[in-house]
Amino acid sequence: MPQITPTSKIVIVGSGVFGISTALWLARAGYTDVSVLDMQDTAAAGYDPLSGIDSASADLNKIVRFSYGAEIEYQRLATEAAGLWGEWNREVEGAEEGGGGEGRLWWNTGFLRMSASGELGAFEIETLRNMEKEGIREFQFVCDDDADIARAKERGWAHKLDPCRRQERFGSHKAVLDSTAGFVYAYKSCAWAQHLARREGVKMVLDPVRGKVVDIASGGDGRPVVATADGQEHVADLVVVAGGGWTPSLIPEVQDLLETTAGSVATVQIPRDRADLWERFAPENHPVISWGSREGKEVYSLPRDENGVFKIGWRKTKWTNFQDVRGNRISVPKTAHVTEEKETRIPLEALNGIKEYIALNFPELTPLGISSTRLCWYTDSIDNSFVVDFVPGRPGVAVCSGGSGYGFKFLPVLGREVVKILEGKGAETVYGRMWRWRGGGEDAGGEDGDGDGESGIDGRRNGLEEGEQGPRVLAKQKMAEVEDWKFT
Ligand SMILES: Cc1cc2nc3c(=O)[nH]c(=O)nc-3n(C[C@H](O)[C@H](O)[C@H](O)COP(=O)(O)OP(=O)(O)OC[C@H]3O[C@@H](n4cnc5c(N)ncnc54)[C@H](O)[C@@H]3O)c2cc1C
């Protein structure tokens, strides 16, 4: 592990949440020579997926929740992030640069966890019990509990208890509204973080050739050398690989710890002239929703954005895409713009799950049909906890990844903990121990997706053990075509 000094040359690969937050906090900690390389011009495109940026962070919006059930360490970090999201909201609204003036980043819309079965699941009941113990139960409203309904009314949350009118339509509505949660505009948040990092002196090389890292080797003096696609070699004191879904292809050793997988996302375009729908799905009136978590449905949606885009995600299965990477078979992203092989479709199974969610819960949207689909590539870790540590056998090279479907919300604070690890103090910190390089078979206490604190693991390997033989391989799926977007 190198001892870094304030003038050490530090190169970060990737300007997503993990890379940009690390860069920001390194600069804040007094490191003066920090550069971020990215093969995508996230600055010019403002991280907007509609402008051709493909990454987990470059998305319309992401769910933010601060309650993590029994996972107290993530809960604490999320609570700290909450304070910083509030600060960023105040700063960004008054700012003229970095996307300032375009409205707030973080929206406390509430998060409704709806059962698909007519009963609250055991996990939900357990979560409520934990919240009781931690003194935060009062912010949760069980939607058919009279005392909770009365409290929701008092606190202005009653209109979000049953946005799908399930009680009226099905005679039963089993759900819990978490009034502390909501969502952030993801692309705007990353652009703001990048602006803050630049302001602190971080250099950015965001370019498909000059910023594209093709190799990370060890130089003659033992320092790492980063080769970029323009033929340049950058000798550094420390290289931090925060390449999201591309991390295992850059650092193949990490494939025992991390796997690149895709979640399935679709949108419905709500027309502005449909005033009824426009109002109903606005963040002021509509919460983030998850439906049927741990009941085999695993769907979530977020309120419409200012352009009327209503985003729905399906996370029951995360897809893999194995390719040859320098003699290894590694799952790598297959995206709409950046990768050699392009993909804008999602598997039909995922689309059908999303359509079922819409048809049952929002039948008034069915005439509009689906408007777009997208695969969004994560890095899942063996135990769903992040991986931030030095790579064994590679002096001066660290990885910073493994967001596993819930890393976004930590953007404002994540880098602070990463810096401690890069400074060699990982073993002394809670997060350093949780995110260390580790072997299989351990559960460091992470979660899967952002809906319900579902682990998806039982102390094993989170599906990584399946490999290319497993059923989640993208090439084995029937993909949904545009004709499938209509509801019949
Ligand atoms: C479908 C989906 C839903 C999610 N929902 C939520 C949610 O609701 N709430 C939440 O908190 N989190 C959520 N997450 C998780 C969150 O989005 C991720 O944890 C986080 O964005 C990961 O950031 P990252 O920096 O690791 O990777 P990325 O955002 O993928 O960034 C990686 C960057 O590295 C660059 N790069 C890669 N290879 C190279 C190279 N060779 N040279 C140069 N640059 C390179 C890429 O261009 C990219 O910009 C979700 C993720 C997905 C996929």
Side-chain angles (χ1 to χ4, degrees), residues 114-117 291-300 313-317 353-354 356-357 360:
M114 295 196 312
S115 159
S117 68
W291 179 61
S293 291
R294 298 186 163 240
E295 294 173 324
K297 302 294 185 188
E298 316 294 343
V299 190
Y300 61 89
W314 188 84
R315 58 193 176 79
K316 184 172 164 187
T317 305
I354 288 171
E356 182 193 14
Y357 171 67
L360 269 173

Side-chain angles (χ1 to χ4, degrees), residues 210-223:
R210 287 183 307 117
K212 180 170 181 170
V213 174
V214 291
D215 192 32
I216 302 168
S218 188
D221 61 357
R223 291 198 295 165

Side-chain angles (χ1 to χ4, degrees), residues 95-163:
E96 283 169 14
E97 295 174 307
E102 282 186 24
R104 62 190 139 130
L105 306 173
W106 141 241
W107 289 71
N108 176 208
T109 56
F111 181 1
L112 186 69
R113 303 186 295 266
M114 295 196 312
S115 159
S117 68
E119 283 309 325
L120 282 188
F123 181 81
E124 189 63 71
I125 291 166
E126 173 71 20
T127 302
L128 288 171
R129 214 176 282 138
N130 280 332
M131 288 176 173
E132 191 90 58
K133 278 190 229 149
E134 288 159 34
I136 52 174
R137 169 66 177 81
E138 61 169 312
F139 304 112
Q140 312 291 311
F141 307 112
V142 176
C143 297
D144 60 354
D145 178 282
D146 289 343
D148 282 16
I149 294 170
R151 201 170 65 258
K153 276 187 189 145
E154 255 168 54
R155 298 187 185 183
W157 287 99
H159 64 302
K160 293 199 173 173
L161 291 177
D162 189 5

Side-chain angles (χ1 to χ4, degrees), residues 49-82:
L50 299 178
S51 305
I53 302 296
D54 287 327
S55 73
S57 309
D59 199 355
L60 176 60
N61 42 26
K62 297 287 190 198
I63 303 169
V64 170
R65 75 194 148 100
F66 307 113
S67 51
Y68 266 79
E71 316 291 358
I72 198 72
E73 294 85 5
Y74 281 108
Q75 179 150 313
R76 282 197 190 124
L77 199 61
T79 306
E80 285 190 67

